[in-house]
């Protein structure tokens, strides 16, 4: 039963009622008592039927709206009994209930999913009503970082730790801010930020905190583990053969001392062994110096310099050795007024490392070319590029080239590109690479 059919049925009843009333007036005027009684009964029946017809529809709608008012979407309206127009109405109500229940189920699943994610992170999160102080939501990490139990209103913290309450809840931190807070047995440094949001007529504040000390300690611990692992591996690789060779030489000398007639000391072998120990020891010292070079670059001596002057310095230094290897070199600047605020000595070192790598990549190339380019992007970033058409870098090792001590060269230390990356990070820039095997490479320094 649709709305138009309902209107037609109602119109028919009204029309019939009007007809009966006109007939009643006619028979009253003509003193037809019998007909007057019959028509009067007909009018009463039609009135009762029309009232029932309209009432049952409004009662059904009132029941549905009452359920909506109290959010009772579990109610089921019978679709298999009652008048046809009401069954059609009940079908529509049940369809609405099904849709709302599905939406609620999906929203509940998303809420639980989001809640589980936020519970798993080690960042403290709390949202509370600004006026009442009632906590809308908080994860366990928030209480663990601040060393406080779970609470339902932020006044709980105010009554026990007023200073902490003022720092966390009363002070606004629009931008992420690093602060120190005193707990019972220690002082910790946290990163805190907050924001205010509106839900209907209520204002809420969302506060996010992170234990910086704990994060730094974890990262530092992992870094030390990796460092010690690399150092142990490299040192053991050097010490094991040194120890073995020294033991062999010591036994030879000992036998020559104890039985000089039976065991003649071969001075050439002794000299060769000592030379090997010396070379390996020097390699170990070089390895230690390499580690030191990674850690000593921490401060910058910034000065404004034109890119043209930087390129001229590099050209005078590198061009003779590049051309001596029959490699064409080109320095090109798009925009002669380009300037950089850099530590010139460090950036020169970066460019020298990249150019030396380019030379190595082009050593077996007949038409070898190296280009050192400078340009400025639309968003005013300045990019220095070192291009070569050499052997390129295999894709399987491309992602590891900036890892300390990783090298594909037999004579490389694996420290050059790591040092370049550290220097660029100190300049708040970045170093990027694009390379195709047998096609060449492009290293980009972005300032």
């Amino acid at each position: 039963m649709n709305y138009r059919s309902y209107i037609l049925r109602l119109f028919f009843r009204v029309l019939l009622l009007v007809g009966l009333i006109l007939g009643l007036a006619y028979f009253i005027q003509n003193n037809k008592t019998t007909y007057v009684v019959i028509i009067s009964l007909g009018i009463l029946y039609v009135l009762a039927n029309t009232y029932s017809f309209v009432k049952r529809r409004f009662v059904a709608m009132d029941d549905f709206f009452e359920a909506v008012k109290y959010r009772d979407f579990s109610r089921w309206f019978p679709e298999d009994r009652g008048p046809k127009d009401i069954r059609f109405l009940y079908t529509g109500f049940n369809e609405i209930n099904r849709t709302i229940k599905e939406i609620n189920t999906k929203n509940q699943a998303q809420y639980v999913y989001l809640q589980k994610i936020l519970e798993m992170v080690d960042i403290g999160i709390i949202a509370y009503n600004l006026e009442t102080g009632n906590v809308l939501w908080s994860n366990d990490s928030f209480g663990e970082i601040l060393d406080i139990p779970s609470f339902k209103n932020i006044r709980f913290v105010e009554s026990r730790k007023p200073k902490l309450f003022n720092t966390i809840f009363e002070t606004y931190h629009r931008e992420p801010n690093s602060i120190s807070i005193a707990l019972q047995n220690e002082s910790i440094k946290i990163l805190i930020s907050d924001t205010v949001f509106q839900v209907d007529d209520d204002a809420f504040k969302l506060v996010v905190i992170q234990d910086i000390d704990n994060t730094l300690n974890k990262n530092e611990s992992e870094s030390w583990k990796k460092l010690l692992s690399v150092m142990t591996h490299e040192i053991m690789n050097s010490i094991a053969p040194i120890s073995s060779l020294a033991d062999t030489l010591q036994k030879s000398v000992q036998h020559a001392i104890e039985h000089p007639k039976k065991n003649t000391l071969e001075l050439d072998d002794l000299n060769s062994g000592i030379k090997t120990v010396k070379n390996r020891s020097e390699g170990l010292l070089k390895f230690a110096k390499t580690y030191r070079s990674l850690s000593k670059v921490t401060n910058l001596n910034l000065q404004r310099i034109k890119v043209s002057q930087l390129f001229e310095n590099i050209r005078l230094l590198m061009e003779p050795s590049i051309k001596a290897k029959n490699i064409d070199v080109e320095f090109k600047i798009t925009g002669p007024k380009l300037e950089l605020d850099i530590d010139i000595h460090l950036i020169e070192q970066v460019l020298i490392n990249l150019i030396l790598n380019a030379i190595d990549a082009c050593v077996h190339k007949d038409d070898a070319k190296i280009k050192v380019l400078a340009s400025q992007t639309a968003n005013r970033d300045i990019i220095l590029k070192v291009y070569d058409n050499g052997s390129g870098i295999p894709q399987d090792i491309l992602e590891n080239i900036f890892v300390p001590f990783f090298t594909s060269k037999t004579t490389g230390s694996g420290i050059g590109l790591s040092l370049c990356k550290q220097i660029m990070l100190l300049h708040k820039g970045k170093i990027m690479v694009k390379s195709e095997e047998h096609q060449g490479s492009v290293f980009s320094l972005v300032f």
Side-chain angles (χ1 to χ4, degrees):
M1 174 69 68
N2 56 29
Y3 179 72
R4 182 177 296 178
S5 177
Y6 172 78
I7 292 297
L8 287 175
R9 285 172 174 265
L10 182 61
F11 178 75
F12 173 75
R13 283 172 170 74
V14 172
L15 191 64
L16 179 61
L17 187 61
V18 170
L20 288 174
I21 291 173
L22 291 177
L24 178 63
Y26 174 78
F27 288 118
I28 289 176
Q29 187 178 6
N30 291 283
N31 294 322
K32 302 283 187 175
T33 306
T34 304
Y35 290 106
V36 168
V37 172
I38 295 173
I39 292 177
S40 296
L41 292 174
I43 290 174
L44 291 174
Y45 173 78
V46 173
L47 282 172
N49 182 267
T50 304
Y51 173 76
S52 176
F53 178 76
V54 174
K55 179 184 175 183
R56 69 192 181 200
R57 193 174 187 91
F58 279 97
V59 168
M61 294 177 67
D62 185 64
D63 287 346
F64 176 71
F65 290 136
E66 189 74 11
V68 172
K69 177 181 178 181
Y70 294 103
R71 301 181 182 275
D72 179 17
F73 301 111
S74 61
R75 182 169 179 179
W76 187 259
F77 296 90
E79 302 177 14
D80 54 351
R81 61 179 183 271
K84 189 176 181 181
D85 61 322
I86 298 301
R87 294 203 305 270
F88 179 82
L89 199 64
Y90 283 167
T91 301
F93 291 163
N94 289 335
E95 185 64 31
I96 293 173
N97 280 343
R98 271 195 300 269
T99 303
I100 292 176
K101 285 169 67 176
E102 288 177 4
I103 293 173
N104 286 342
T105 301
K106 290 180 180 179
N107 289 341
Q108 183 67 21
Q110 290 177 351
Y111 174 77
V112 172
Y113 179 66
L114 178 61
Q115 191 175 33
K116 292 299 180 184
I117 291 177
L118 294 177
E119 286 291 354
M120 292 175 66
V121 300
D122 57 359
I123 296 174
I125 304 171
I126 188 172
Y128 64 93
N129 189 300
L130 274 174
E131 184 177 350
T132 64
N134 291 331
V135 176
L136 178 66
W137 190 85
S138 174
N139 66 351
D140 294 338
S141 295
F142 187 85
E144 291 172 0
I145 293 174
L146 299 180
D147 193 23
I148 52 178
S150 177
F151 56 91
K152 294 184 178 181
N153 192 290
I154 62 172
R155 304 302 169 192
F156 172 87
V157 181
E158 183 181 21
S159 62
R160 287 162 175 77
K161 298 182 179 181
K163 189 174 181 180
L164 179 65
F165 173 83
N166 182 68
T167 302
I168 301 297
F169 298 109
E170 291 294 296
T171 306
Y172 283 85
H173 307 273
R174 301 301 186 192
E175 298 294 332
N177 187 23
S178 174
I179 61 173
S180 294
I181 57 173
L183 301 181
Q184 289 183 351
N185 301 319
E186 61 179 340
S187 177
I188 66 169
K189 182 172 285 187
I190 64 170
L191 187 68
I192 182 170
S193 62
D194 54 49
T195 186
V196 176
F197 61 95
Q198 198 81 15
V199 178
D200 298 329
D201 295 330
D202 295 323
F204 293 86
K205 187 177 182 181
L206 177 69
V207 181
V208 179
I209 61 175
Q210 183 177 10
D211 186 347
I212 299 177
D213 287 340
N214 189 38
T215 303
L216 291 178
N217 289 339
K218 287 181 180 178
N219 292 338
E220 184 177 351
S221 176
E222 290 300 319
S223 298
W224 272 110
K225 287 179 182 178
K226 292 178 182 178
L227 177 63
L228 291 174
S229 176
V230 172
M231 289 192 72
T232 302
H233 179 266
E234 294 296 327
I235 291 172
M236 288 303 296
N237 283 347
S238 296
I239 290 178
I242 290 175
S243 176
S244 176
L245 182 56
D247 183 60
T248 301
L249 294 175
Q250 191 270 335
K251 287 180 179 178
S252 297
V253 173
Q254 185 69 28
H255 289 160
I257 293 173
E258 292 176 354
H259 307 284
K261 294 182 179 180
K262 292 183 179 180
N263 299 287
T264 305
L265 187 61
E266 297 290 341
L267 294 179
D268 288 340
D269 292 343
L270 181 62
N271 181 63
S272 177
I274 292 174
K275 186 177 179 180
T276 301
V277 170
K278 179 176 178 291
N279 290 338
R280 192 59 252 167
S281 299
E282 288 177 349
L284 194 56
L285 286 173
K286 184 179 178 181
F287 170 75
K289 289 178 181 179
T290 298
Y291 255 107
R292 189 168 59 186
S293 69
L294 263 182
S295 61
K296 70 180 180 181
V297 181
T298 56
N299 297 311
L300 298 178
N301 182 21
L302 296 177
Q303 55 181 305
R304 180 166 286 268
I305 184 174
K306 290 184 178 180
V307 175
S308 58
Q309 181 184 341
L310 175 66
F311 276 14
E312 182 64 15
N313 294 344
I314 299 295
R315 188 187 68 78
L316 292 173
L317 182 65
M318 301 296 298
E319 195 172 45
S321 59
I322 296 175
K323 289 190 173 180
K325 296 180 181 292
N326 295 319
I327 300 175
D328 289 335
V329 59
E330 178 186 358
F331 290 83
K332 183 179 179 182
I333 301 174
T334 305
K337 294 184 179 180
L338 296 184
E339 293 183 335
L340 288 169
D341 290 314
I342 58 173
D343 187 318
I344 184 171
H345 300 295
L346 292 180
I347 296 302
E348 282 181 353
Q349 185 63 45
V350 171
L351 289 172
I352 289 169
N353 279 337
L354 296 180
I355 292 172
L356 289 176
N357 286 345
I359 293 173
D360 290 341
C362 294
V363 68
H364 298 299
K365 190 84 172 179
D366 293 332
D367 58 339
K369 294 180 181 179
I370 295 176
K371 295 180 182 179
V372 185
L373 313 173
S375 61
Q376 190 170 33
T377 64
N379 60 357
R380 305 190 67 79
D381 288 341
I382 294 178
I383 302 179
L384 309 183
K385 294 184 178 181
V386 178
Y387 159 85
D388 70 74
N389 63 343
S391 57
I393 304 171
Q395 293 298 312
D396 57 339
I397 68 171
L398 190 60
E399 63 180 19
N400 295 318
I401 62 174
F402 296 109
V403 176
F405 307 104
F406 176 86
T407 180
S408 58
K409 302 177 184 178
T410 55
T411 59
S413 66
I415 201 65
L417 288 177
S418 300
L419 198 57
C420 291
K421 184 174 182 179
Q422 182 177 353
I423 290 172
M424 288 304 298
L425 290 175
L426 285 173
H427 282 82
K428 298 182 179 179
K430 56 185 175 181
I431 181 171
M432 302 184 298
V433 59
K434 289 184 180 179
S435 184
E436 290 186 26
E437 201 167 2
H438 309 302
Q439 298 295 321
S441 304
V442 181
F443 282 85
S444 301
L445 309 178
V446 183
F447 297 89

